[in-house]
Amino acid sequence: MKRTFVITGATDGIGAAVARALFTRGDHVVALGTNPRKGEALAGEAERAPGSLEFVRADLSLVSANRRVVDEILDANPAIDGLVLCARFFRTYRRETAEGFEDNFALFYLSRLLFSYGLRPALEKTERPVIVNVAGPGHDTPVAWDDLQSTRRYDGVNAMFMTGRLDDLLGVTFAERHGDGPVRYVLFHPGTTSTGFVGEFDPQTAMYIEQQKALAKPATAVVAPIVRLLDNPPAEPLTAFNLYSQMSVHNGLFSPKDAARLAALTDELLARVEG
């Protein structure tokens, strides 16, 4: 039976590899990305496969765009089996979106929150729905509660890791709020992987990225553990995995108190954005 999956960051790296695996076996994929050329190429591949793919071009660093696209996806897909969150864009230098949010915070955290909660009604209409947030859980970078958007002494790597911590706390809150429902929330760490490495890099960082590409495993190596989670979601409301190995979510990095604090701050910020 054909199932429906939504993937953000679906035109590069892990997102694209998972999309190919799903439409190749006969599923329908809603693929979100910013590059129309890559999106159209992926859709072309799907035309020769048993499944199908719809490419949606969207800048998910904008809260208003996330809200609009979520509504459009719900209109077209009343029932969704799984959501895979992969969208991320590294920046050596700090950038704010047109809505005034730091780019990592907007794309790597707010977008994933808006999709997680926004698509929940459609996910709850399927038998074993799951959200897989590919965010690298369990990193011990401290959360700068007085500077969540890295306004002081911005460092791209630290901003990315700290935003990943926010995704961990997003999972905690989602499970607390909706754990009695059917949707399972999985935080997934792919390990060092040769993804699309999309971003804006200074020369030193660009050189490091090229070294990482040479050492990292291909994105296709991450497909099997993600598809496994999509096909057989864990029983617990919240879990975390490093590839196939389950990680504990019962420690200070997944503090319910911190998660509640973040949720309250996030609600205040989102309330300021129209659309």
Side-chain angles (χ1 to χ4, degrees):
M1 186 177 84
K2 179 183 287 191
R3 296 193 292 163
T4 298
F5 296 94
V6 177
I7 305 176
T8 69
T11 57
D12 288 285
I14 294 171
V18 172
R20 288 188 181 96
L22 293 174
F23 66 64
T24 297
R25 73 177 192 180
D27 292 319
H28 176 62
V29 177
V30 181
L32 291 99
T34 57
N35 189 313
R37 179 181 57 79
K38 292 180 179 179
E40 290 162 7
L42 199 61
E45 291 181 43
E47 289 178 358
R48 301 183 293 275
S52 55
L53 180 139
E54 173 193 0
F55 171 65
V56 178
R57 184 182 183 184
D59 179 1
L60 299 184
S61 69
L62 296 174
V63 170
S64 54
N66 279 272
R67 289 170 172 164
R68 173 182 55 79
V69 171
V70 163
D71 287 343
E72 291 174 357
I73 291 173
L74 290 175
D75 287 342
N77 303 274
I80 295 170
D81 295 274
L83 168 64
V84 184
L85 299 164
C86 293
R88 190 169 72 179
F89 191 93
F90 181 88
R91 292 185 185 277
T92 298
Y93 305 104
R94 189 178 187 276
R95 173 187 178 272
E96 287 192 358
T97 70
E99 295 168 338
F101 295 116
E102 189 271 319
D103 197 75
N104 275 291
F105 183 80
L107 179 62
F108 194 18
Y109 169 59
L110 291 181
S111 172
R112 296 180 184 223
L113 179 148
L114 292 165
F115 266 77
S116 296
Y117 287 106
L119 294 184
R120 184 175 64 87
L123 286 161
E124 290 184 338
K125 293 179 181 177
T126 57
E127 187 175 350
R128 300 184 68 190
V130 61
I131 298 170
V132 178
N133 189 336
V134 184
H139 203 276
D140 60 359
T141 298
V143 175
W145 290 105
D146 61 342
D147 192 24
L148 291 177
Q149 299 187 56
S150 305
T151 59
R152 301 192 303 267
R153 291 180 296 178
Y154 175 84
D155 176 86
V157 173
N158 185 78
M160 181 179 65
F161 283 143
M162 185 174 72
T163 310
R165 285 290 318 282
L166 305 187
D167 280 314
D168 290 353
L169 299 177
L170 159 61
V172 173
T173 299
F174 187 97
E176 285 191 340
R177 291 178 177 177
H178 305 295
D180 57 349
V183 183
R184 297 290 159 250
Y185 208 101
V186 181
L187 299 162
F188 183 82
H189 199 315
T192 304
T193 306
S194 183
T195 64
F197 287 105
V198 291
E200 294 179 357
F201 311 103
D202 62 14
Q204 183 177 358
T205 305
M207 184 180 300
Y208 173 75
I209 291 297
E210 289 304 316
Q211 293 171 348
Q212 289 299 297
K213 285 183 180 180
L215 299 172
K217 61 183 174 296
T220 51
V222 183
V223 170
I226 291 179
V227 171
R228 166 178 170 265
L229 293 167
L230 294 175
D231 290 344
N232 296 289
E236 303 95 326
L238 175 68
T239 51
F241 285 82
N242 186 331
L243 294 177
Y244 292 100
S245 300
Q246 188 164 352
M247 307 162 60
S248 174
V249 293
H250 303 290
N251 57 54
L253 297 178
F254 302 89
S255 162
K257 182 179 179 181
D258 286 349
R261 182 180 184 182
L262 176 63
L265 292 170
T266 303
D267 287 345
E268 290 179 9
L269 292 172
L270 289 175
R272 303 174 191 172
V273 183
E274 297 180 0

